[in-house]
Amino acid sequence: MDNDTEMKRLLFCVFAACAVLASCNKDEEIGVPAARKPVITLDSETAVYKVKAGRDLTISPSYENADDAQYAWTIDGRVVGRGPSYTFRSETTGRVFVGLSVTTAAGSASEELRIDVVELEIPAVSLAGADEGFMVLAGKPLELKPLVAETSLPTTYSWRVDGTEVSAEKDYVFMQEQSGEYTLRFEARNEDGEDAVEFGVRVSTADEMPFSWTFDRTEYNLSSGRAIRLSPLDIESTLDALYTWTIDGEQVQQSSDPAFVFDRTEQGTYAVAVVMTNALMSVEQTLTVHVCPPEGRYYRAKTAASSADCDRVCEFLPAPGQFVNEGYTAATMEEACAVAEKLLAAGSYVSLGGFGGSIVVGFDHSIDNSGGDYDFAVEGNSFESSSEPGIVWVMQDENGDGLPNDTWYELKGSEWGKPETVQDYAVTYYKPASEGMDVQWTDNRGGTGTIDHLAFHEQAYYPAWVEAESYTLRGTRLEARNYDQSGDGTYWILPPYDWGYADNYSSVDRLTNRPNSTAAANANRFRISDAVRFDGQPANLRYVDFVKIQTGINAKCGWLGEASTEVLGVYDCRVSKR
């Protein structure tokens, strides 16, 4: 290689090196690294944080290139923090969006994150009957089974009797040999808080147990020529009771039988009183009975303009249930009736909830008794494997005031008079401590249970327009025949009853033989001639003005929830073109 060629190579290398050095030194001095922008790494991969209301949440990101940095945490454009970490707290639930920016001489970096503020998981407590307290015979057990709202947190329990802890289990059996008044307290506690219920228990000997009775109402209307049975209900601790009945001060019956049949025919208002007397006390209840004009005085004949369908909802009082309060709001009985009217007018269903829930409808004319043919129909949504029978009652407007405040007559169905059919069955429902809890109930035959709150119906199940802490529904209960066909709780069957009930897949009184697999409107037909008196004898009504449908079974079907009669319409068969 000659010297000239070697020199050219050397010069090329020098020029290349200078070019590289010149390029590297364009923005910074040779040997000094470039300043880098800050980098934020949140301590949540999703940038979503969750905190309970009233609790602190500290967010502590990690940073790179953040020497001498300035920090800014913002909510809705307002600066709420100036440090590398931020502690958040809110007393109200909801979503909050937080901005974070970090600034140095080399530039800025920013992130947006979300904070979900959720409710505390306090274990709400509910115990049926605690508001009134309990009474129990000395030496007899009192089983106490409170409901405690489920949470994701470990929960502990404590029972105290007169301040002394007696149990750490959720359920407790109280029993005392010594009569007297006792104060019981149940507490449920977790890390989020606690809830408690405190109540009294009166322990008595047999002769100390207080007498009690109830009356479904204190004022009655009936047409002249008819009779009604008057009787106290849910009688407790009568001992050797004697019942004395008087009409306008004149004694008409004295017996150990509490019931009295009133059959005066002369029109007018009567003061009827019953006095219960036993070895310990005497208790009186006064009733008012109005004997109205004979049947037919307030009959309203249909005209060419008469509507086949019911034209108003007079009362709507469901039992608690998964469809109660769903999709509508009602704070009073008047508002609840308006809601039910709109649902029926739209062809939608009105759910009556568990046992005893009812709806009362009226018409713009009296519905005639044909003497044996079907007179009116009630639309439900029964199908082959789902019958939720509703007992049907009818009433004449006996006093002519346009209100359903007269005498109800039950329509006899296929189950009437059977041993498993219970007349005068009553269930008391208790308002739960929180919306998401089961609704407890007790009945007048010593039974207890719950209307289970299902995850896919989140609203409160207790009717919003019932202000009382408990309410009682009374009627006829049919035998529950529902069963789990699958054996693993996935497929429940509610078999039909032969005839005489609403929302019932009957082969006798349905208007169609279609399977109705889509649970569409599906009518059952009824005869006014099936109306019976209190003693089971025919009521012989020429016509009716009001119809009541009432859930007739007390049953639930696992994940499907409670059995509840649904009503989609009520109409006069001889006016309807259906």
Side-chain angles (χ1 to χ4, degrees):
M1 184 182 297
D2 58 27
N3 291 334
D4 185 53
T5 301
E6 184 65 30
M7 179 60 70
K8 288 179 180 179
R9 288 184 176 179
L10 178 61
L11 289 173
F12 175 80
C13 292
V14 171
F15 287 141
C18 288
V20 171
L21 288 173
S23 175
C24 293
N25 198 36
K26 184 176 181 180
D27 296 313
E28 55 188 68
E29 296 180 6
I30 297 174
V32 179
R36 299 181 183 276
K37 292 181 180 180
V39 176
I40 303 171
T41 302
L42 294 175
D43 49 351
S44 167
E45 292 183 359
T46 62
V48 176
Y49 297 80
K50 186 165 73 172
V51 65
K52 293 179 179 178
R55 299 292 174 83
D56 289 341
L57 168 68
T58 298
I59 303 171
S60 300
S62 59
Y63 304 95
E64 298 176 26
N65 311 321
D67 293 340
D68 299 322
Q70 293 183 346
Y71 302 89
W73 298 82
T74 59
I75 297 176
D76 294 333
R78 179 174 57 89
V79 176
V80 294
R82 290 289 190 181
S85 63
Y86 170 57
T87 299
F88 171 86
R89 182 187 182 97
S90 174
E91 301 298 329
T92 58
T93 59
R95 286 184 173 179
V96 179
F97 292 91
V98 180
L100 165 62
S101 65
V102 182
T103 303
T104 66
S108 299
S110 64
E111 289 282 355
E112 184 178 63
L113 54 99
R114 190 182 88 203
I115 302 175
D116 293 337
V117 185
V118 299
E119 295 279 2
L120 290 172
E121 295 185 77
I122 297 174
V125 172
S126 180
L127 179 63
D131 289 339
E132 296 84 19
F134 299 90
M135 294 177 291
V136 64
L137 281 170
K140 295 292 185 179
L142 173 64
E143 293 187 0
L144 300 167
K145 297 183 177 182
L147 289 182
V148 180
E150 291 186 6
T151 72
S152 63
L153 305 173
T155 301
T156 59
Y157 310 106
S158 174
W159 281 96
R160 295 179 181 273
V161 176
D162 291 341
T164 301
E165 186 169 29
V166 293
S167 175
E169 301 296 323
K170 186 178 77 69
D171 297 342
Y172 173 58
V173 177
F174 172 83
M175 188 169 68
Q176 290 288 336
E177 299 292 342
Q178 184 67 38
S179 62
E181 300 284 345
Y182 296 83
T183 299
L184 275 67
R185 180 179 176 85
F186 172 71
E187 298 175 353
R189 179 182 295 107
N190 64 22
E191 66 180 44
D192 275 2
E194 67 177 66
D195 193 20
V197 59
E198 188 170 293
F199 54 93
V201 177
R202 179 177 177 180
V203 178
S204 303
T205 59
D207 59 350
E208 293 174 332
M209 289 291 285
F211 169 81
S212 65
W213 60 8
T214 61
F215 291 80
D216 60 344
R217 51 183 169 149
T218 58
E219 190 166 356
Y220 300 82
N221 301 307
L222 75 156
S223 296
S224 176
R226 293 187 177 143
I228 57 173
R229 180 173 59 193
L230 306 174
S231 180
L233 305 168
D234 305 331
I235 302 171
E236 297 286 347
S237 304
T238 59
L239 298 177
D240 54 348
L242 193 65
Y243 299 90
T244 302
W245 287 88
T246 61
I247 298 178
D248 293 337
E250 178 186 354
Q251 181 175 316
V252 291
Q253 178 177 300
Q254 188 174 67
S255 170
S256 58
D257 182 358
F260 168 64
V261 176
F262 181 96
D263 57 1
R264 296 287 176 95
T265 59
E266 185 177 351
Q267 295 179 45
T269 298
Y270 297 83
V272 181
V274 55
V275 178
M276 187 289 301
T277 305
N278 62 24
L280 301 175
M281 68 187 74
S282 181
V283 181
E284 180 177 4
Q285 176 67 53
T286 301
L287 311 172
T288 301
V289 179
H290 302 285
V291 177
C292 305
E295 177 186 43
R297 172 70 176 273
Y298 302 112
Y299 172 77
R300 298 167 301 131
K302 62 178 176 287
T303 69
S306 294
S307 171
D309 297 295
C310 59
D311 69 342
R312 63 193 181 278
V313 173
C314 307
E315 296 176 8
F316 175 39
L317 184 58
Q322 59 187 296
F323 299 107
V324 176
N325 302 317
E326 185 174 64
Y328 63 83
T329 302
T332 65
M333 175 61 78
E334 183 179 12
E335 292 178 1
C337 289
V339 164
E341 285 179 6
K342 290 180 180 178
L343 290 171
L344 295 180
S348 185
Y349 66 86
V350 176
S351 178
L352 305 184
F355 172 83
S358 66
I359 187 171
V360 177
V361 300
F363 300 81
D364 63 8
H365 64 283
S366 299
I367 300 178
D368 294 317
N369 181 350
S370 64
D373 291 336
Y374 290 114
D375 303 308
F376 66 91
V378 178
E379 292 178 308
N381 60 0
S382 66
F383 52 94
E384 190 170 9
S385 61
S386 178
S387 291
E388 299 174 286
I391 306 293
V392 178
W393 306 73
V394 293
M395 176 186 286
Q396 281 184 358
D397 186 6
E398 295 176 284
N399 65 355
D401 66 356
L403 301 174
N405 53 10
D406 306 289
T407 306
W408 283 113
Y409 296 92
E410 182 176 347
L411 294 190
K412 179 174 61 176
S414 59
E415 309 309 297
W416 173 270
K418 292 184 177 181
E420 57 269 23
T421 299
V422 180
Q423 305 286 335
D424 190 35
Y425 179 69
V427 175
T428 299
Y429 297 97
Y430 300 87
K431 183 181 290 186
S434 65
E435 289 187 358
M437 296 181 67
D438 298 344
V439 178
Q440 292 181 294
W441 59 261
T442 59
D443 66 21
N444 60 347
R445 299 173 72 86
T448 63
T450 59
I451 300 290
D452 296 342
H453 196 280
L454 308 178
F456 43 90
H457 294 285
E458 297 180 351
Q459 84 288 353
Y461 286 12
Y462 195 91
W465 58 100
V466 176
E467 297 182 358
E469 293 301 307
S470 66
Y471 67 113
T472 300
L473 301 178
R474 187 181 302 271
T476 297
R477 188 194 73 186
L478 308 181
E479 178 187 35
R481 298 175 181 172
N482 56 308
Y483 65 95
D484 172 23
Q485 187 181 70
S486 65
D488 58 9
T490 58
Y491 190 70
W492 286 82
I493 300 293
L494 292 96
Y497 297 73
D498 288 345
W499 60 272
Y501 305 101
D503 200 13
N504 178 44
Y505 194 76
S506 166
S507 61
V508 176
D509 57 34
R510 281 194 311 133
L511 279 170
T512 175
N513 291 323
R514 292 177 305 184
N516 199 35
S517 58
T518 60
N522 188 22
N524 297 92
R525 296 169 293 179
F526 298 89
R527 290 181 285 252
I528 295 173
S529 58
D530 287 326
V532 293
R533 305 190 327 163
F534 57 85
D535 56 2
Q537 296 302 307
N540 296 319
L541 304 175
R542 285 174 43 206
Y543 61 91
V544 299
D545 299 289
F546 305 101
V547 173
K548 176 168 71 172
I549 303 98
Q550 185 174 41
T551 300
I553 59 175
N554 189 359
K556 57 186 180 182
C557 302
W559 68 273
L560 287 176
E562 77 290 340
S564 58
T565 301
E566 270 75 60
V567 176
L568 289 86
V570 186
Y571 59 87
D572 185 333
C573 288
R574 280 181 299 283
V575 177
S576 173
K577 293 183 172 57
R578 292 176 176 82

